[in-house]
Amino acid sequence: MSSTQQPAETASTAPTLNEKSSGVPADEPKLEEGGTPAAAPKPGMQVPDGGWEAWSVVIAGWLILFCTFGFVNAYGSLQVYYVRALEKSDSQVAWIGSFQLWLQFSAGLVVGKVFDEGYGKALVVGGSALYILCVYMTSLCKEYWQVFLAQGLGMGLGLGILFLPAISVIPQWFGRKRALATGIVVSGSSVGGIVFPIMINKLIDSHGYAFAVRACAYIITGCLVIAASLIKFRIPGRKHRPAHMQLPPPDFKSIMTHKTYWVTIVAIFLIMWGLFLPIFFMQVFAELNGIDTNLAFYLLSILNAASVFGRIVPNFLADRFGCFNLLTSVSSCAAILIFVFPLATSKGSIIVFALLYGFFSGAYVSLIPGCMTSLSSNFGEIGVRIGFANAIVSIAALTGSPIDGALLGSGPFHWWKPVGFSGAVVAAGSVVLFVARTMHAREKGTNKV
């Protein structure tokens, strides 16, 4: 970053993220096209972009995503168990996992506002306590409605409270390395998706469901305690900020009339609607096609292992080429892979599919926060933009997997129906995302967005 010092700013000249769309004076610090700072922010708003404190926040965010979204990524293993143990259809069981995802995204509307008011630490501590409690309660469940309340509602609410602070704190600590730091944080969900499916499958077979979930709860408890201790928020609550750290309040009229923002939301909605088909149903698909049970158990872990690289490598490239450019490419690849999913009926083909889909779906999820940051006009509205978008996208997360389960049927299974639906909506979302990318490029006057 530049070491040039500038006069202390006032609230009326707070740093902006998108000069063209906000109409602020030309001497305000700009972002590079990928959504990262092109010049040093003014005093009080400088970001460390490294150092122990900054990277300890990345570790905390990684642990939170490992415990929350990582456990959600293991739901495919629980899907198989619940269908058998609870004697419910795939569509009914899918509602539990999709309800978790819905709460993760829908809670963002309220959580984003609370976060922007400076209560990030309280959100992390409170969300961790609720999430840990509900994981232990899930281990005691024996009926469908009990699992729905403990895992779907309770854990989903805790997930919704924790997810946004873990992601939105990154811009407070990183500028040029923001996309890379975000990718590292989000990779925690991939590692969780490797560890938890193996634990669940192996321990259910050897010690039973209750012990398997409690074992996961022990790990989650330790990780979230460490995360709550490490995470730190640089920007205090609005009422307690000194003048040089004041951010302009979110301009809701500007946000709600930002066409590119709305087109981006439509694109993310469509893609999220179909993205989770292989993640939730791959193990079921493998077992129904006669693939060895032991390999079927490991498919989710293989997929999530590949998504570790998918969440880090594209984010590293996004700092150079732009988040929107990368997001459009990886979502298009995910759409193609969904259409070829039914062809992966041998050991070799389904392993290759799991590796490829893990990489591209993981990249998609991790690039979204960077795109939302790039669309924001100042730091004060990042949480609101992400929270509002998540609230709308939550409807897709809620309904996507149950629709896939209903289209699949209860036997004989018609895989072409859910594949056709999911592939079509992800492909359509990729086209809409390209439109949003083109609009944003015109706003910023460059193709590097």
Short mmCIF file of all heavy atoms in Angstrom, two decimals, residues 62 65-67 69-71 73 184-198 301 304-309 311-312:
data_model
loop_
_atom_site.label_atom_id
_atom_site.label_comp_id
_atom_site.label_asym_id
_atom_site.label_seq_id
_atom_site.Cartn_x
_atom_site.Cartn_y
_atom_site.Cartn_z
N TRP A 62 -12.13 -19.15 9.32
CA TRP A 62 -11.97 -20.51 8.78
C TRP A 62 -12.60 -21.53 9.73
O TRP A 62 -13.31 -22.45 9.28
CB TRP A 62 -10.48 -20.81 8.60
CG TRP A 62 -10.18 -22.09 7.89
CD1 TRP A 62 -9.93 -22.26 6.56
CD2 TRP A 62 -10.08 -23.40 8.47
NE1 TRP A 62 -9.68 -23.58 6.27
CE2 TRP A 62 -9.77 -24.31 7.43
CE3 TRP A 62 -10.23 -23.89 9.76
CZ2 TRP A 62 -9.61 -25.67 7.64
CZ3 TRP A 62 -10.08 -25.26 9.98
CH2 TRP A 62 -9.76 -26.13 8.94
N LEU A 65 -16.46 -21.35 9.50
CA LEU A 65 -16.98 -21.99 8.29
C LEU A 65 -16.78 -23.50 8.33
O LEU A 65 -17.62 -24.26 7.82
CB LEU A 65 -16.31 -21.39 7.06
CG LEU A 65 -16.98 -20.18 6.41
CD1 LEU A 65 -18.30 -20.57 5.77
CD2 LEU A 65 -17.22 -19.05 7.41
N PHE A 66 -15.70 -23.96 8.93
CA PHE A 66 -15.46 -25.40 9.10
C PHE A 66 -16.60 -26.04 9.88
O PHE A 66 -17.10 -27.12 9.51
CB PHE A 66 -14.12 -25.61 9.82
CG PHE A 66 -13.86 -27.03 10.24
CD1 PHE A 66 -13.31 -27.94 9.36
CD2 PHE A 66 -14.15 -27.45 11.54
CE1 PHE A 66 -13.06 -29.26 9.74
CE2 PHE A 66 -13.91 -28.76 11.93
CZ PHE A 66 -13.36 -29.67 11.04
N CYS A 67 -17.02 -25.39 10.95
CA CYS A 67 -18.04 -25.97 11.83
C CYS A 67 -19.46 -25.82 11.29
O CYS A 67 -20.32 -26.66 11.59
CB CYS A 67 -17.98 -25.30 13.21
SG CYS A 67 -16.44 -25.58 14.09
N PHE A 69 -20.88 -24.26 7.73
CA PHE A 69 -21.12 -24.67 6.35
C PHE A 69 -20.46 -26.01 6.06
O PHE A 69 -20.94 -26.79 5.22
CB PHE A 69 -20.59 -23.60 5.40
CG PHE A 69 -21.42 -23.43 4.16
CD1 PHE A 69 -21.35 -22.26 3.42
CD2 PHE A 69 -22.28 -24.42 3.72
CE1 PHE A 69 -22.10 -22.09 2.27
CE2 PHE A 69 -23.05 -24.26 2.58
CZ PHE A 69 -22.95 -23.09 1.85
N GLY A 70 -19.36 -26.32 6.77
CA GLY A 70 -18.71 -27.62 6.60
C GLY A 70 -19.62 -28.76 7.01
O GLY A 70 -19.65 -29.81 6.36
N PHE A 71 -20.38 -28.56 8.09
CA PHE A 71 -21.33 -29.58 8.54
C PHE A 71 -22.51 -29.68 7.57
O PHE A 71 -23.02 -30.77 7.31
CB PHE A 71 -21.82 -29.27 9.94
CG PHE A 71 -22.43 -30.45 10.64
CD1 PHE A 71 -21.63 -31.41 11.24
CD2 PHE A 71 -23.81 -30.60 10.71
CE1 PHE A 71 -22.19 -32.51 11.88
CE2 PHE A 71 -24.38 -31.69 11.34
CZ PHE A 71 -23.57 -32.65 11.94
N ASN A 73 -22.25 -29.19 4.41
CA ASN A 73 -21.72 -29.92 3.25
C ASN A 73 -21.69 -31.43 3.47
O ASN A 73 -21.53 -32.20 2.52
CB ASN A 73 -20.31 -29.43 2.92
CG ASN A 73 -20.32 -28.09 2.20
OD1 ASN A 73 -21.34 -27.66 1.65
ND2 ASN A 73 -19.20 -27.40 2.23
N ILE A 184 -9.60 -18.23 1.61
CA ILE A 184 -9.05 -19.09 2.67
C ILE A 184 -10.11 -19.34 3.74
O ILE A 184 -10.29 -20.46 4.21
CB ILE A 184 -7.79 -18.44 3.28
CG1 ILE A 184 -6.67 -18.40 2.24
CG2 ILE A 184 -7.34 -19.21 4.52
CD1 ILE A 184 -5.44 -17.62 2.69
N VAL A 185 -10.84 -18.28 4.13
CA VAL A 185 -11.89 -18.43 5.14
C VAL A 185 -12.94 -19.43 4.67
O VAL A 185 -13.32 -20.37 5.39
CB VAL A 185 -12.54 -17.07 5.46
CG1 VAL A 185 -13.82 -17.26 6.27
CG2 VAL A 185 -11.58 -16.18 6.21
N VAL A 186 -13.42 -19.25 3.45
CA VAL A 186 -14.49 -20.10 2.94
C VAL A 186 -14.01 -21.53 2.72
O VAL A 186 -14.81 -22.48 2.76
CB VAL A 186 -15.08 -19.50 1.65
CG1 VAL A 186 -16.17 -20.38 1.09
CG2 VAL A 186 -15.63 -18.11 1.92
N SER A 187 -12.70 -21.72 2.53
CA SER A 187 -12.19 -23.08 2.36
C SER A 187 -12.40 -23.93 3.61
O SER A 187 -12.36 -25.16 3.55
CB SER A 187 -10.69 -23.06 2.00
OG SER A 187 -9.90 -22.69 3.12
N GLY A 188 -12.64 -23.29 4.75
CA GLY A 188 -12.95 -24.03 5.96
C GLY A 188 -14.17 -24.91 5.79
O GLY A 188 -14.23 -26.02 6.34
N SER A 189 -15.14 -24.44 5.04
CA SER A 189 -16.35 -25.25 4.80
C SER A 189 -16.01 -26.49 3.98
O SER A 189 -16.63 -27.54 4.16
CB SER A 189 -17.42 -24.41 4.09
OG SER A 189 -16.98 -24.00 2.81
N SER A 190 -15.03 -26.38 3.10
CA SER A 190 -14.64 -27.54 2.31
C SER A 190 -13.94 -28.58 3.17
O SER A 190 -14.20 -29.79 3.04
CB SER A 190 -13.70 -27.11 1.18
OG SER A 190 -14.34 -26.19 0.32
N VAL A 191 -13.06 -28.12 4.05
CA VAL A 191 -12.36 -29.06 4.93
C VAL A 191 -13.37 -29.73 5.87
O VAL A 191 -13.29 -30.93 6.13
CB VAL A 191 -11.25 -28.35 5.72
CG1 VAL A 191 -10.55 -29.33 6.66
CG2 VAL A 191 -10.23 -27.73 4.77
N GLY A 192 -14.34 -28.96 6.35
CA GLY A 192 -15.41 -29.55 7.15
C GLY A 192 -16.18 -30.59 6.36
O GLY A 192 -16.58 -31.63 6.90
N GLY A 193 -16.37 -30.31 5.07
CA GLY A 193 -17.05 -31.25 4.21
C GLY A 193 -16.25 -32.50 3.91
O GLY A 193 -16.79 -33.48 3.39
N ILE A 194 -14.94 -32.46 4.19
CA ILE A 194 -14.11 -33.67 4.08
C ILE A 194 -14.19 -34.48 5.37
O ILE A 194 -14.41 -35.69 5.36
CB ILE A 194 -12.64 -33.29 3.81
CG1 ILE A 194 -12.50 -32.54 2.49
CG2 ILE A 194 -11.76 -34.54 3.80
CD1 ILE A 194 -11.13 -31.92 2.28
N VAL A 195 -14.03 -33.79 6.50
CA VAL A 195 -13.92 -34.46 7.80
C VAL A 195 -15.26 -35.04 8.27
O VAL A 195 -15.35 -36.22 8.65
CB VAL A 195 -13.38 -33.47 8.86
CG1 VAL A 195 -13.42 -34.09 10.26
CG2 VAL A 195 -11.97 -33.03 8.50
N PHE A 196 -16.32 -34.22 8.23
CA PHE A 196 -17.58 -34.65 8.84
C PHE A 196 -18.26 -35.82 8.12
O PHE A 196 -18.80 -36.72 8.79
CB PHE A 196 -18.53 -33.46 8.96
CG PHE A 196 -18.10 -32.46 10.00
CD1 PHE A 196 -17.91 -31.13 9.67
CD2 PHE A 196 -17.88 -32.85 11.32
CE1 PHE A 196 -17.50 -30.21 10.63
CE2 PHE A 196 -17.48 -31.94 12.28
CZ PHE A 196 -17.29 -30.61 11.93
N PRO A 197 -18.28 -35.89 6.78
CA PRO A 197 -18.90 -37.08 6.16
C PRO A 197 -18.20 -38.37 6.54
O PRO A 197 -18.86 -39.40 6.77
CB PRO A 197 -18.77 -36.78 4.66
CG PRO A 197 -18.66 -35.33 4.54
CD PRO A 197 -17.91 -34.89 5.76
N ILE A 198 -16.86 -38.35 6.59
CA ILE A 198 -16.13 -39.56 6.97
C ILE A 198 -16.46 -39.95 8.41
O ILE A 198 -16.74 -41.11 8.72
CB ILE A 198 -14.61 -39.35 6.80
CG1 ILE A 198 -14.27 -39.13 5.33
CG2 ILE A 198 -13.84 -40.54 7.36
CD1 ILE A 198 -12.82 -38.77 5.07
N SER A 301 -16.56 -36.37 0.62
CA SER A 301 -15.25 -35.91 1.09
C SER A 301 -14.33 -35.59 -0.09
O SER A 301 -13.57 -34.61 -0.06
CB SER A 301 -14.60 -36.97 1.98
OG SER A 301 -15.36 -37.17 3.16
N ASN A 304 -15.52 -32.27 -1.53
CA ASN A 304 -15.14 -31.13 -0.68
C ASN A 304 -13.64 -30.92 -0.64
O ASN A 304 -13.18 -29.79 -0.45
CB ASN A 304 -15.69 -31.33 0.72
CG ASN A 304 -17.18 -31.07 0.80
OD1 ASN A 304 -17.64 -29.97 0.55
ND2 ASN A 304 -17.97 -32.08 1.12
N ALA A 305 -12.86 -32.00 -0.83
CA ALA A 305 -11.40 -31.83 -0.93
C ALA A 305 -11.05 -30.99 -2.15
O ALA A 305 -10.19 -30.10 -2.09
CB ALA A 305 -10.73 -33.20 -1.00
N ALA A 306 -11.73 -31.26 -3.26
CA ALA A 306 -11.49 -30.46 -4.47
C ALA A 306 -11.95 -29.03 -4.28
O ALA A 306 -11.34 -28.09 -4.83
CB ALA A 306 -12.21 -31.11 -5.66
N SER A 307 -13.01 -28.83 -3.50
CA SER A 307 -13.53 -27.47 -3.32
C SER A 307 -12.60 -26.60 -2.48
O SER A 307 -12.70 -25.38 -2.51
CB SER A 307 -14.93 -27.51 -2.70
OG SER A 307 -14.88 -27.86 -1.34
N VAL A 308 -11.68 -27.22 -1.71
CA VAL A 308 -10.66 -26.43 -1.01
C VAL A 308 -9.88 -25.61 -2.02
O VAL A 308 -9.67 -24.40 -1.85
CB VAL A 308 -9.71 -27.34 -0.20
CG1 VAL A 308 -8.55 -26.52 0.37
CG2 VAL A 308 -10.45 -28.05 0.92
N PHE A 309 -9.44 -26.25 -3.08
CA PHE A 309 -8.69 -25.55 -4.13
C PHE A 309 -9.62 -24.60 -4.89
O PHE A 309 -9.19 -23.52 -5.32
CB PHE A 309 -8.05 -26.56 -5.08
CG PHE A 309 -7.08 -27.48 -4.40
CD1 PHE A 309 -7.47 -28.74 -3.98
CD2 PHE A 309 -5.78 -27.07 -4.15
CE1 PHE A 309 -6.58 -29.60 -3.35
CE2 PHE A 309 -4.89 -27.92 -3.51
CZ PHE A 309 -5.28 -29.18 -3.11
N ARG A 311 -12.01 -22.89 -3.71
CA ARG A 311 -12.30 -21.70 -2.92
C ARG A 311 -11.09 -20.78 -2.77
O ARG A 311 -11.24 -19.60 -2.45
CB ARG A 311 -12.82 -22.10 -1.54
CG ARG A 311 -14.17 -22.80 -1.59
CD ARG A 311 -14.59 -23.35 -0.24
NE ARG A 311 -15.67 -24.32 -0.36
CZ ARG A 311 -16.96 -24.03 -0.33
NH1 ARG A 311 -17.34 -22.78 -0.19
NH2 ARG A 311 -17.87 -24.97 -0.44
N ILE A 312 -9.88 -21.31 -2.98
CA ILE A 312 -8.67 -20.50 -2.81
C ILE A 312 -8.11 -20.01 -4.14
O ILE A 312 -7.85 -18.82 -4.32
CB ILE A 312 -7.61 -21.29 -2.03
CG1 ILE A 312 -8.10 -21.59 -0.61
CG2 ILE A 312 -6.29 -20.51 -1.97
CD1 ILE A 312 -7.16 -22.45 0.21
#
